[in-house]
Amino acid sequence: MSPETMIEDITGLLEVWVAGWAGCRGYQTSTEGRFPAALRADTSGEWEFFASDPTPEEFAALAAKTAEVPARVLTILTNDVERYAGLARQHGLNVTSDSQTMMIVDMETQDAEDPWLSDDDLKLYLSEQNHVHYAEVRSGDTVAASGRVFVVGDTAVFDKIITEPGFQRRGLGSFIMRALAAQAFEHDVETGLLLASIDGQKLYSHLGWSTVSRVLMLSASHDGSDLSLS
């Protein structure tokens, strides 16, 4: 399915992304109504529910499930953030992150060649486990940058693209993305998907990615932590 076709079906896009994101992290998935959910076993140990522009009735049902446990999260894909932030307040949920976006790319525009490092002190390590492709750049025993990708059908879902503070502004984020894309091309992929932080949005836009939707994360917790960082 082409990126253009996928964008017309944001709920379908969300389902593919959740399947890939959960695959990257080894999460159990389920559904709540017509939307996906994932059990964040490695962090909160609780469910995260997802929806794209749910109706008020759907939002109320999801908010009630989320509010049962403070550690649960409700993540909404929407370009009408104010509307859903208002609904959240009505249902006793707090906005814990509104800075992420979902981004998409036509994989034909991405570099399919294995990248190379110009810095002799850095080395690339590639691996695969449980269908997850990993890329790490290390300086000796220190991880400088890393990321992973999981393929769902013809879509590559990228996750946890991280450049450590001491190694930033050296092009390693772009390098990791190219290394992961090269691994994804071992499959018949057409589209790439990811969730991007503010800093990531600049990188991915430079690499040809486009924003599909804003991402609003909600919970009943009052500790003020940014759940997008976990």
Side-chain angles (χ1 to χ4, degrees), residues 10-215:
I10 299 298
T11 298
L13 198 70
L14 175 62
E15 290 172 353
V16 172
W17 176 80
V18 170
W21 173 76
C24 277
R25 301 189 181 203
Y27 291 163
Q28 173 188 345
T29 59
S30 183
T31 56
E32 190 66 35
R34 67 186 178 97
F35 295 116
L39 183 62
R40 301 192 67 151
D42 61 339
T43 54
S44 67
E46 271 296 338
W47 287 95
E48 181 169 354
F49 305 108
F50 300 87
S52 58
D53 287 316
T55 65
E57 294 77 16
E58 289 173 327
F59 185 93
L62 290 166
K65 291 290 291 185
T66 305
E68 289 175 359
V69 181
R72 287 183 179 172
V73 180
L74 173 56
T75 295
I76 304 291
L77 263 63
T78 184
N79 287 311
D80 191 353
V81 169
E82 290 303 317
R83 176 191 180 201
Y84 288 101
L87 283 174
R89 289 190 292 270
Q90 292 176 27
H91 291 280
L93 298 182
N94 305 300
V95 175
T96 62
S97 172
D98 62 1
S99 60
Q100 291 189 104
T101 61
M102 176 173 279
M103 302 187 76
I104 193 169
V105 76
D106 182 343
M107 289 296 290
E108 287 189 356
T109 67
Q110 302 300 287
D111 190 347
E113 299 297 323
D114 289 328
W116 57 277
L117 286 161
S118 57
D119 189 333
D120 292 338
D121 292 334
L122 300 176
K123 294 190 181 300
L124 172 64
Y125 296 86
L126 303 175
S127 61
E128 179 184 356
Q129 185 175 5
N130 297 326
H131 307 293
V132 184
H133 296 277
Y134 298 88
E136 279 189 352
V137 173
R138 298 180 195 164
S139 174
D141 293 331
T142 302
V143 175
S146 59
R148 58 187 73 173
V149 64
F150 186 92
V151 175
V152 180
D154 59 7
T155 302
V157 178
F158 295 76
D159 184 44
K160 283 187 172 288
I161 312 302
I162 298 169
T163 301
E164 300 301 331
F167 296 90
Q168 292 175 356
R169 303 193 182 282
R170 295 169 64 175
L172 293 182
S174 297
F175 180 89
I176 286 290
M177 289 297 292
R178 291 197 302 272
L180 291 172
Q183 292 187 85
F185 279 120
E186 296 174 9
H187 309 268
D188 188 15
V189 294
E190 296 182 6
T191 306
L193 277 180
L194 52 72
L195 289 197
S197 65
I198 291 176
D199 288 339
Q201 290 160 34
K202 299 173 185 176
L203 166 64
Y204 306 129
S205 295
H206 178 71
L207 297 176
W209 292 66
S210 301
T211 295
V212 175
S213 175
R214 298 274 301 279
V215 178

